[in-house]
Amino acid sequence: MIAVVKSTATTQQLDQLVAWIEGRGFKTNVSQGDNETLVGIIGDTTQIDPFILESMDLVERVQRVSEPFKLANRKFHPEDTVVDCGHGVLVGGGSFQVIAGPCSVEGDNLIEIARAVRAAGATMLRGGAYKPRTSPYAYQGMGERGLDLLMEAGGELDMPVVTEVMDPRDVELFVSKGVDVMQVGARNAQNFTLLKELGRTSTPVLLKRGMSQTIDELVMSAEYVMSEGNPNVMLCERGIRTFETRTRNTFDVNAIPVLHHLTHLPVVGDPSHATGYTRYVRSAAYAATAAGADALEIEVHDCPSKAWSDGAQALTPEQFADAMRRIALIREAVCAPIEEA
Ligand code: PEP
Ligand code: MN
C-alpha cells in the first residue's frame, strides 16, 4: 500500500504519519520526489483501513499495490482449483459442466425435469427448496420436503444437487441431507455469518455475485468462506443491477475472464437470472460459454407459464436441449486448443 503525501506537508507531519503507521506494526519506505512524497507501507496491509489514511489532511490518496484477497488470489495459487461436487463431477481446470433444473422445487415435476435435463447433457441438478423472494408474500419454497425431493432425484439420476441455503441455522440440515453444493444467492452474497458458517463445512459452495457487488467484493466474499477452512468455492456471475430496464439484470460477461485472471476458483455463468426472459437466456449462455465459464447454471421448467417462481426466464426442456447442442459447438470452436501448423 502506498500513501501519497501532499506537497504542502511539513517534515514534522510526515514524521508523525510514519510513526502512526509504524506504531501499527508496519514497516515504511519513504521516497521524497520533487512534487510528492510516497510512503510505502510494508506488511499485511489487509489489516489497515485505507480510508482512515485517506481521511488524514496530509494524505493526498492511498493506493493498494496488492489485492486484499489472499486465499482466492491466483498470484499465490497459479493452478486452477478443481471443485469435486460428487458423483464424479469436477468443476474447474478445463472441464465444463451444466447445472440445470427449475428455479423452485415444486413437487413431482422435479424428477421429470431432472430426467429431461440429464438426457440433454446437464451434469448437475438445481432447484430451490428455500427461496429468497423479494416479497414476503411470494412463494417461499417447500423447505425440508424440497430438499428430500432433490436428493431423491439426484440419487436416481446420479447427479450432484445444487440448492440455495439462506440461513446459517440451516447449514447443518443441508449437510445432514447430503446436499452436494450449497448455493449462496445474490441477496446473501455479503451475509458474512452465512459465509463463515459455510466455511466451516467441506461442502462445495456456489457463491453468486450480489446484484450491486463489485468483482473484488465477490472475491472477498469467497475469501470469507475460504478463510474458515473450506477451499471448495465456485464463483457465479448472474447479472448485476444497472440503469438498464429491458432485462432483469445486466450480464457482466467481462466478469468471467476477469475472475479467471484474479482468482484460481471456478467461474460459473447464470444466463437465466442475468437476463430474466426466456428469449434472451440462450444468447447469454452462449456468451458465457465463449467467455470461458467453467460451468453454466440454467433454469428449466416443464411448463414455464405454471412455474411457481421465475417462469419468465425458464427454458423448456426442448429449448434447453437445443441450447446444449450449440453450447457444445461453441466450446469446441472457442475453448479447444488449436494445434500450431
Ligand atoms: C436462484 O438461483 O434461483 C436465485 C434466486 O438466484 P439469485 O440469487 O442469483 O437471484
Ligand atoms: Mn430463480
Side-chain angles (χ1 to χ4, degrees), residues 103-104 126 131 248 273 299 309-310 313:
C103 179
S104 303
R126 67 147 285 144
K131 294 303 303 175
R248 182 175 181 183
H273 296 85
E299 289 187 343
S309 60
D310 286 352
Q313 65 192 33

Side-chain angles (χ1 to χ4, degrees), residues 5-187:
V5 177
K6 283 181 189 159
S7 53
T8 52
T10 63
T11 311
Q12 192 194 3
Q13 281 176 316
L14 181 62
D15 289 346
Q16 277 170 356
L17 176 67
V18 166
W20 184 89
I21 296 167
E22 291 184 351
R24 276 153 186 78
F26 299 96
K27 292 207 173 82
T28 56
N29 184 327
V30 179
S31 142
Q32 224 135 10
D34 287 344
N35 299 318
E36 54 189 15
T37 299
L38 307 180
V39 180
I41 306 167
I42 305 150
D44 180 6
T45 53
T46 58
Q47 302 301 318
I48 202 163
D49 178 358
F51 296 106
I52 296 277
L53 273 172
E54 226 156 30
S55 70
M56 295 179 182
D57 283 341
L58 77 161
V59 176
E60 180 86 43
R61 63 181 188 280
V62 175
Q63 213 153 356
R64 275 199 185 279
V65 285
S66 60
E67 295 86 6
F69 42 91
K70 304 246 170 288
L71 297 170
N73 198 325
R74 197 180 274 282
K75 266 188 211 147
F76 308 121
H77 186 297
E79 326 75 59
D80 286 345
T81 279
V82 178
V83 176
D84 184 346
C85 296
H87 297 263
V89 175
L90 305 177
V91 182
S95 61
F96 185 72
Q97 309 296 347
V98 178
I99 307 163
C103 179
S104 303
V105 179
E106 301 169 358
D108 292 340
N109 60 345
L110 176 70
I111 187 67
E112 301 304 331
I113 299 169
R115 286 185 188 129
V117 297
R118 191 182 201 290
T123 47
M124 301 167 83
L125 175 65
R126 67 147 285 144
Y130 295 80
K131 294 303 303 175
R133 305 308 299 281
T134 301
S135 163
Y137 310 116
Y139 175 63
Q140 302 286 306
M142 286 184 90
E144 195 173 339
R145 173 80 190 119
L147 289 184
D148 290 336
L149 286 172
L150 275 168
M151 296 315 295
E152 276 167 34
E156 181 185 314
L157 298 168
D158 192 21
M159 290 170 100
V161 157
V162 180
T163 191
E164 176 163 352
V165 60
M166 294 199 299
D167 190 325
R169 292 167 297 185
D170 290 337
V171 170
E172 208 176 304
L173 172 72
F174 278 53
V175 171
S176 73
K177 295 277 180 193
V179 166
D180 301 283
V181 177
M182 293 196 269
Q183 177 169 307
V184 176
R187 292 157 192 80

Side-chain angles (χ1 to χ4, degrees), residues 83-86 179-183 198 201-206 230 232-234:
V83 176
D84 184 346
C85 296
V179 166
D180 301 283
V181 177
M182 293 196 269
Q183 177 169 307
L198 292 169
T201 75
S202 56
T203 302
V205 174
L206 177 60
N230 186 351
N232 304 309
V233 181
M234 298 169 272

